[in-house]
Amino acid sequence: MLKFTFDLFAGPALVALFYWFRFHTSKGTRSYTTKPLFAFGVVAFMIPFVLIYKGLSYALPPLASIWLLILAWLVPILPAAWRNFCQGLAGIPAGALALRDELAASPFQVSQSDEPVLQRRFARIGYRVDDFRAVQSTAIQSRFMKISAIMVHLERWAADRESFMERNAERYAELLAVFDVLCFRTVRVLKNSRDIYGAIMEESQVEPDDWQALDSLSTRHSAVSQLQLAAQTAAGAMLEDLRKDMDSLLNNLMLFAVRAALAGEWSLDRSKRRLGEIGFTLEPASPGIMKFVAKVTAFTFVWCLLWLLASGKIIEMPGDQSAGAMRTLILTPLYFIVNFSLVYYFKRQFAFANESIFGRLPVGFILSVGILGALLTLPIQMWFDHAQFSQGPYPDVVLHELPVLIFPWGIGAMAALLVQDSTWDRRSRKTRQLRDGLVFGGGMTLMLFALLAIHQVAPIPVMGMADHLSPSMFLLFFVLPTFLFGFIIGYGMIGRLREAAARCPVRSAPLVSPAFASA
């Protein structure tokens, strides 16, 4: 009993635990994306290793299998590349960087509840603010106000003992120290600049609104004028250096605040609302891939379950019937989860998955993304091959079952074709949905007939369920449900996938961006 429990639960749990730690490439990896996306990335990363363990456990002792998989992490390139790919699926770190850039470009206004707090803090360093709206229209003061408002909310989150703030206490202390130094430096630079410009105008007897006199100051060649020009240049250099330091600190503060919001909230929309409390005006979050994939998975699972219940007395599953039913309920949704996620990720992140500037379709991507989806689902299919047809020679069963991979390949190819931005362009929404449904339904039906044709030449074990059906029964229980299933997926889901994949985030940004210069 103990050995059975270890083989069934403890072994896979140890492998999953090891690769859980390998998924975290840096401190705070979780805070670079939302919780559902992070969970999706972790599960996708661990599943192949757990399945490999299950395969090895049939030939090796459990401890030997565990140690072999742990040592597999030392294989160059492949494990790290798979981790990077799964982190990309989860939006690490693209999710946090994109939200940070959205903050930098969004309007900012200090909330009324924060104004008294900021006034008291500014008074301690000798900086008085009477009109927050007027102050935020200037270059230096607007940055200083934004930085101070972010620090106020970070201090509140730290006082509430939030887990992210406690785990990153050292980083927060560094930002706080830099902010304290910047506060006194800002006041000193602004005061010195004011005194310099005031002395120049007083000495030259120039009024602040006398622009012709102000312009003439730079054309005078007297010693006094040269000294005034040097003082003016020095004041401008101090302000420029201060602006650069503010931009650097603001960039780090916004990323830290974004990570804190993502770590503390469940969804991107709630994270945006939390950042909006600081004073940023952000657009509502667009529907992410997780909700979309969850809907597709739920619909596919329910459809397969209803099909099994309706055809249970007519169609007999070959091999182990319970394993065959589980195969249908698990593999079919998995085809859509993997391929839709791949298409969404590649189209948003890489130019080769989008149309060229001349409107040409990315044929290579359309034909190859399904191959990647088939390779990712192959280990799970091989496991079901062993479970369903355990009586036959395992290598022969796996070899004869390979044509079934036409479904994940076709699903990926159709999704990559239909999500292109110009697909059905200049058509109404209903027309686009109808055409998506017809293409997807027709494609699923065509793949079914292709699989049947292959079965006539080289028998496919899983297609044995159709051997004893009449043409009318095959049409009723296979062709018609397959077309209707594909039509509903195409009609209801492909349009949403196309819209979601068209929104491209910024993957990286410089320390100082022109967006930071806008008040």
Side-chain angles (χ1 to χ4, degrees):
M1 182 64 182
L2 183 61
K3 183 180 183 301
F4 174 78
T5 304
F6 184 87
D7 294 344
L8 187 62
F9 299 106
L14 288 175
V15 173
L17 182 63
F18 174 80
Y19 282 97
W20 162 273
F21 289 111
R22 298 281 72 77
F23 187 79
H24 294 73
T25 52
S26 62
K27 185 177 180 180
T29 301
R30 154 67 192 91
S31 61
Y32 284 95
T33 187
T34 59
K35 292 180 180 179
L37 275 177
F38 179 78
F40 174 73
V42 170
V43 171
F45 175 65
M46 293 189 301
I47 280 178
F49 300 102
V50 174
L51 292 176
I52 293 174
Y53 167 80
K54 296 296 292 185
L56 290 175
S57 62
Y58 291 108
L60 298 174
L63 286 177
S65 302
I66 293 172
W67 279 110
L68 188 60
L69 277 173
I70 291 176
L71 293 175
W73 183 252
L74 301 178
V75 175
I77 301 176
L78 288 179
W82 173 244
R83 178 181 61 189
N84 294 337
F85 175 75
C86 292
Q87 286 184 348
L89 287 179
I92 300 171
L97 296 179
L99 188 52
R100 187 270 313 272
D101 295 337
E102 187 177 352
L103 283 187
S106 64
F108 179 82
Q109 179 67 42
V110 175
S111 62
Q112 293 183 354
S113 60
D114 291 338
E115 289 182 3
V117 179
L118 292 175
Q119 283 179 333
R120 289 194 299 269
R121 298 196 173 193
F122 292 154
R124 297 173 187 170
I125 58 174
Y127 183 67
R128 182 176 178 181
V129 178
D130 296 323
D131 189 345
F132 279 88
R133 186 175 295 275
V135 167
Q136 290 178 87
S137 64
T138 58
I140 297 297
Q141 288 89 331
S142 62
R143 288 172 170 80
F144 185 48
M145 203 67 58
K146 189 181 295 186
I147 291 172
S148 302
I150 295 175
M151 290 303 304
V152 166
H153 285 266
L154 290 180
E155 291 178 12
R156 290 175 182 171
W157 298 345
D160 293 338
R161 303 183 65 84
E162 296 188 3
S163 58
F164 174 82
M165 301 300 295
E166 292 184 345
R167 289 195 304 267
N168 296 271
E170 294 181 1
R171 179 59 176 163
Y172 172 64
E174 293 175 1
L175 293 173
L176 189 59
V178 174
F179 172 69
D180 291 338
V181 174
L182 185 68
C183 286
F184 291 99
R185 184 184 171 195
T186 301
V187 174
R188 185 173 66 250
V189 169
L190 292 177
K191 182 179 179 181
N192 292 342
S193 300
R194 182 194 61 190
D195 294 341
I196 290 173
Y197 286 112
I200 291 174
M201 288 188 292
E202 182 179 358
E203 181 68 22
S204 304
Q205 297 181 352
V206 175
E207 296 296 331
D209 58 350
D210 190 352
W211 298 106
Q212 292 182 352
L214 289 171
D215 291 337
S216 66
L217 286 177
S218 60
T219 60
R220 297 177 185 175
H221 299 288
S222 63
V224 175
S225 298
Q226 294 299 322
L227 289 173
Q228 291 174 345
L229 181 60
Q232 185 179 0
T233 303
M238 286 192 300
L239 291 173
E240 179 64 17
D241 290 341
L242 179 62
R243 184 193 65 80
K244 292 180 180 179
D245 291 341
M246 282 185 168
D247 282 341
S248 179
L249 177 60
L250 184 58
N251 179 73
N252 294 327
L253 275 178
M254 286 192 295
L255 181 58
F256 192 80
V258 163
R259 292 176 58 198
L262 290 174
E265 300 295 340
W266 179 259
S267 64
L268 179 61
D269 201 34
R270 295 185 62 177
S271 299
K272 283 191 171 185
R273 287 200 296 268
R274 189 174 189 183
L275 293 171
E277 296 174 358
I278 301 176
F280 295 98
T281 303
L282 299 171
E283 295 292 333
S286 60
I289 188 64
M290 291 303 299
K291 290 183 179 179
F292 171 77
V293 169
K295 291 179 180 178
V296 174
T297 304
F299 170 76
T300 307
F301 182 84
V302 171
W303 183 278
C304 293
L305 182 61
L306 293 176
W307 181 81
L308 288 172
L309 293 176
S311 61
K313 297 182 179 180
I314 306 298
I315 299 175
E316 183 178 353
M317 289 284 181
D320 188 288
Q321 294 189 2
S322 60
M326 291 299 297
R327 179 193 190 111
T328 303
L329 291 174
I330 294 178
L331 270 182
T332 307
L334 187 65
Y335 292 156
F336 290 91
I337 293 174
V338 171
N339 283 289
F340 282 6
S341 300
L342 289 175
V343 170
Y344 174 85
Y345 171 69
F346 282 118
K347 191 173 187 306
R348 284 174 65 90
Q349 303 294 344
F350 299 101
F352 64 74
N354 294 272
E355 296 165 333
S356 67
I357 58 175
F358 302 105
R360 297 175 182 173
L361 290 174
V363 179
F365 168 71
I366 293 172
L367 295 178
S368 61
V369 66
I371 297 177
L372 180 58
L375 292 176
L376 292 177
T377 55
L378 178 59
I380 304 177
Q381 177 174 304
M382 293 172 61
W383 187 86
F384 277 109
D385 290 340
H386 174 78
Q388 187 173 359
F389 305 102
S390 57
Q391 302 300 325
Y394 183 62
D396 291 344
V397 172
V398 172
L399 182 63
H400 285 85
E401 284 287 302
L402 288 180
V404 179
L405 294 176
I406 191 175
F407 276 106
W409 172 80
I411 291 170
M414 287 190 296
L417 172 65
L418 294 176
V419 299
Q420 298 303 317
D421 298 334
S422 64
T423 303
W424 320 133
D425 197 14
R426 300 179 181 177
R427 304 290 179 179
S428 66
R429 184 178 182 87
K430 286 292 184 182
T431 302
R432 292 197 299 270
Q433 288 181 315
L434 183 62
R435 293 186 176 186
D436 288 337
L438 291 174
V439 169
F440 220 90
M444 294 287 292
T445 307
L446 182 62
M447 288 186 287
L448 176 63
F449 278 111
L451 200 62
L452 184 63
I454 296 173
H455 177 62
Q456 303 303 319
V457 178
I460 303 172
V462 76
M463 287 297 293
M465 67 180 75
D467 289 342
H468 306 293
L469 294 178
S470 63
S472 58
M473 297 299 290
F474 181 78
L475 180 67
L476 179 63
F477 284 97
F478 279 93
V479 178
L480 185 60
T482 300
F483 176 80
L484 289 177
F485 172 73
F487 180 83
I488 295 174
I489 289 288
Y491 185 88
M493 303 296 178
I494 292 298
R496 299 180 184 180
L497 180 62
R498 185 188 302 125
E499 294 172 0
R503 300 183 177 95
C504 183
V506 179
R507 300 188 66 190
S508 60
L511 283 177
V512 180
S513 170
F516 295 140
S518 60

